[in-house]
Amino acid sequence: QLQLVESGGGLVQPGGSLRLSCAASGFTLDYYAIGWFRHAPGKEREGVSCISSSDDNTHYANSVKGRFTITIDNDKNTVYLQMNSLEPEDPAVYYCAARDWRCALTSSMYNTWGQGTQVTVSS
């Protein structure tokens, strides 16, 4: 049984930082790609970042390049999203998802999803 659990969301001021975690169970990340997606009210779900262990491949949305960093800890079977310099347009529910192929930012290609963690940016 494949499961993903997100954590680390919260309330921060503009310019602040958060680190999101995506803990996987029921499988190892060695041959999977993990993507981070976000869904804000009134907006379409969008891909933020993804990583695959098999080929060490990563992608980032243009809106977060230079601010967000995705990493993987294979020993803990966990993927992290370090979010720095958070902006008012970043608040959303952030989801992680898994697929058994290479890294991509297309949500329809992912098979297993977590329940999401809320990120709020407010002054």
Side-chain angles (χ1 to χ4, degrees):
Q1 184 177 1
L2 309 182
Q3 287 188 328
L4 299 172
V5 179
E6 302 96 334
S7 62
L11 173 64
V12 298
Q13 294 184 336
S17 298
L18 286 173
R19 189 182 74 163
L20 306 183
S21 299
C22 176
S25 62
F27 67 103
T28 61
L29 298 175
D30 292 0
Y31 303 103
Y32 286 79
I34 300 293
W36 283 99
F37 300 83
R38 64 186 182 186
H39 194 184
K43 298 181 179 180
E44 299 285 338
R45 183 168 60 184
E46 63 176 345
V48 176
S49 182
C50 62
I51 187 170
S52 57
S53 296
S54 60
D55 59 2
D56 196 32
N57 189 35
T58 61
H59 293 291
Y60 294 93
N62 289 335
S63 60
V64 306
K65 287 181 179 178
R67 300 188 298 119
F68 292 9
T69 303
I70 189 169
T71 57
I72 185 169
D73 186 335
N74 289 107
D75 291 336
K76 296 181 178 179
N77 223 35
T78 299
V79 173
Y80 303 95
L81 183 67
Q82 179 67 46
M83 305 186 297
N84 298 325
S85 301
L86 285 162
E87 301 173 355
E89 62 266 29
D90 293 322
V93 178
Y94 283 72
Y95 300 89
C96 64
R99 68 188 299 250
D100 59 352
W101 195 231
R102 64 188 305 173
C103 181
L105 293 179
T106 304
S107 61
S108 61
M109 296 182 177
Y110 288 77
N111 308 111
T112 302
W113 291 79
Q115 296 300 308
T117 185
Q118 177 71 52
V119 173
T120 303
V121 181
S122 177
S123 60

